[in-house]
Amino acid sequence: MMELDVVVWVGDHARLRGGPGHRAAYALTNSDAPVDWDKATTIANRDLLTVETDPQGTVGAFAKQALQASWNDRADVLRVWAEDAVTGASLADDAVVGEVLDPGDLVVVKAEVPSTSSYQLLSLGRPEQLFDVLHVSAALEVAAWPRLWGAFLYTEEDADLATYVRTHFDELNALSGKHLRLFVVERPPDWKRAKKYWRAQIEPPLLRALATMRWLKTMPYDKSGLYDVARDLGVAPDQFPCLVLFGGSSDDTIIFPIRSAAPAAMRELFATILGAIGDEPVDYQPDKVFEDSRDRHRREPSVQGAEALQALAASASWADRAALARVEAAKQAVREVAGPNVIVAHGNLRDLTFTGPTTFINKPIDTVISDFQNTYASTAGGQLAEVLRLVLTSADLAPADKVDLARRVTDAVAYVESDDENERWSAKYALQDIEIAAYRGRDIADAVRTIIRNLRNE
């Protein structure tokens, strides 16, 4: 027999949307405290059952068995199915349990009953977005704007630090201000492999909360895998785990060895860095970030893991000198106050090149716009090229917002130029999204609104 952890939900189609991770993320971010891990963990483990089932049986039979075990079976149930609680994927009724699930996996069994109400349903938020923004691939998306980059480098042996960056995600995001951007470097997503690692490192209640929010789909590298790219930053394997700062006009890197992942020790380290560069923690609002993750525009990063770190290290080659000088001054300030425990190393970043796929990286703005115009030569393409120029040259838009809006423009032009009636219909919503998002930049909002409304009226 095989033991599986099961949560059974009974309700109409609206109440069965999403999974435990969506409810845990809402509880985590919507509380009196900035984040409430006790509440999130409670929600993720609510009504948990352990069900023994035949690994050679079908998923459909197991789902009905779990529903009966929950004492929630009803005569008006329309259908019953099972979902992987982590990935959200529905499991085929005729699939063999032992072939699609491992012992101890968390499964959501859903039983749909007739609806007695009408609903206006919003898009579900994406719990993973709260942690994904700390991955190096997210930092890479804004790499065209120079920052003092801070990479957490740790290996499979440093599970306490890998756990810390997750449970203190709000503090790390708040530390990424005007001059500094912190991020983590882990293997590209592979849940099958990662869950074996995390089950040995984290207690089950927290494990379920983190896993269902999809924060455990990645895991640390082994020492040799991480060193393949860390050596370009001048970091030796015996210096893991560490926080390495780089960027600016020189190849010098500043390495802070991390001897303890205790929150007090980490806060002392961050206070030293922020005090040196004159940055203040930003007003990071987890509830707002989760709300914004409802946005239907979603694209997986094309470069991840150590490869993304290499791309980031090579990304500022064309940046303007004044911006690089400001970053270099911040780096020098950190070096002067860091004390004897810091290590100043010399990387080979000037010689580092990256030829993989990236978006708006390593390209001057004029080149990006020219490429866009050559690709989309229609009248609508020309108008959207002007929107792209306004976005990338805005003085008010934050770097992340520039990348977000630029992506919306490149998504919209494909709809606008399409001959397919459904895609032309989608174009109206895509253009509306651009108009709304452009209000983040007061210096371009009016001009973008005029162009977009012209396009929508054509």
Side-chain angles (χ1 to χ4, degrees), residues 104-128:
D105 277 356
L106 179 61
V107 182
V108 182
V109 169
K110 296 183 177 181
E112 183 180 352
V113 298
S115 177
T116 58
S117 304
S118 59
Y119 301 93
Q120 183 176 4
L121 300 177
L122 299 174
S123 298
L124 289 170
R126 291 184 287 118
E128 63 267 35

Side-chain angles (χ1 to χ4, degrees), residues 416-448:
V416 171
E417 291 194 338
S418 175
D419 294 328
D420 183 90
E421 184 177 345
N422 291 329
E423 291 199 349
R424 293 283 295 176
W425 184 259
S426 298
K428 296 180 180 180
Y429 294 101
L431 292 171
Q432 183 180 32
D433 284 346
I434 293 171
E435 182 181 348
I436 293 170
Y439 279 100
R440 303 172 194 164
R442 288 179 294 180
D443 58 341
I444 67 167
D446 289 342
V448 171

Side-chain angles (χ1 to χ4, degrees), residues 59-384:
V59 169
F62 160 71
K64 292 176 182 177
Q65 176 192 359
L67 176 60
Q68 292 172 352
S70 73
W71 297 96
N72 287 319
D73 200 2
R74 292 167 44 171
D76 59 345
V77 169
L78 301 174
R79 63 187 183 113
V80 183
W81 71 97
E83 294 179 359
D84 186 311
V86 176
T87 66
S90 295
L91 304 176
D93 283 347
D94 59 355
V96 177
V97 171
E99 293 179 1
V100 294
L101 294 168
D102 295 323
D105 277 356
L106 179 61
V107 182
V108 182
V109 169
K110 296 183 177 181
E112 183 180 352
V113 298
S115 177
T116 58
S117 304
S118 59
Y119 301 93
Q120 183 176 4
L121 300 177
L122 299 174
S123 298
L124 289 170
R126 291 184 287 118
E128 63 267 35
Q129 181 67 17
L130 291 163
F131 182 64
D132 280 355
V133 295
L134 280 174
H135 278 277
V136 62
S137 53
L140 179 60
E141 292 300 328
V142 295
W145 292 270
R147 297 280 190 92
L148 182 59
W149 305 107
F152 284 97
L153 303 181
Y154 49 83
T155 70
E156 294 172 332
E157 300 172 8
D158 306 307
D160 54 346
L161 183 54
T163 304
Y164 170 88
V165 299
R166 287 166 167 80
T167 57
H168 292 77
F169 76 100
D170 54 322
E171 294 183 24
L172 298 183
N173 278 305
L175 291 167
S176 290
K178 186 180 297 184
H179 303 296
L180 177 68
R181 175 67 183 264
L182 298 175
F183 56 86
V184 301
V185 181
E186 294 188 342
R187 294 177 185 271
D190 181 353
W191 172 236
K192 284 281 189 183
R193 177 174 184 170
K195 70 179 177 182
K196 296 177 182 178
Y197 172 78
W198 289 113
R199 281 179 176 176
Q201 309 298 337
I202 302 178
E203 291 297 317
L206 179 59
L207 176 74
R208 294 186 191 102
L210 290 170
T212 56
M213 291 193 296
R214 300 173 193 156
W215 291 20
L216 301 181
K217 60 187 178 182
T218 61
M219 59 175 282
Y221 282 93
D222 59 26
K223 189 168 287 190
S224 62
L226 186 58
Y227 180 59
D228 283 345
V229 68
R231 62 187 171 194
D232 291 321
L233 299 173
V235 181
D238 61 359
Q239 292 167 336
F240 301 146
C242 65
L243 172 65
V244 57
L245 303 183
F246 63 96
S249 55
S250 76
D251 286 347
D252 289 348
T253 59
I254 305 174
I255 303 167
F256 290 88
I258 296 176
R259 297 181 174 85
S260 170
M266 298 300 289
R267 287 175 187 139
E268 182 179 353
L269 170 61
F270 300 142
T272 298
I273 296 171
L274 290 187
I277 65 178
D279 241 355
E280 293 287 339
V282 300
D283 182 22
Y284 177 74
Q285 300 177 17
D287 56 337
K288 178 71 163 53
V289 175
F290 185 48
E291 180 70 23
D292 288 347
S293 74
R294 296 178 186 273
D295 193 313
R296 60 178 171 270
H297 287 267
R298 181 184 182 184
R299 190 188 306 225
E300 290 297 324
S302 55
V303 183
Q304 301 188 50
E307 190 179 28
L309 178 58
Q310 184 183 45
L312 179 61
S315 67
S317 58
W318 63 269
D320 66 275
R321 293 182 180 180
L324 288 173
R326 288 192 294 272
V327 174
E328 189 64 31
K331 192 164 65 173
Q332 179 61 32
V334 173
R335 195 157 46 219
E336 291 175 355
V337 302
N341 293 326
V342 71
I343 301 166
V344 178
H346 186 74
N348 62 341
L349 305 186
R350 293 191 183 207
D351 301 324
L352 190 59
T353 59
F354 182 79
T355 57
T358 58
T359 304
F360 308 122
I361 301 301
N362 284 335
K363 289 185 180 181
I365 290 172
D366 289 345
T367 303
V368 172
I369 296 171
S370 177
D371 289 349
F372 185 91
Q373 290 172 324
N374 291 334
T375 304
Y376 305 103
S378 65
T379 301
Q383 290 176 286
L384 285 171

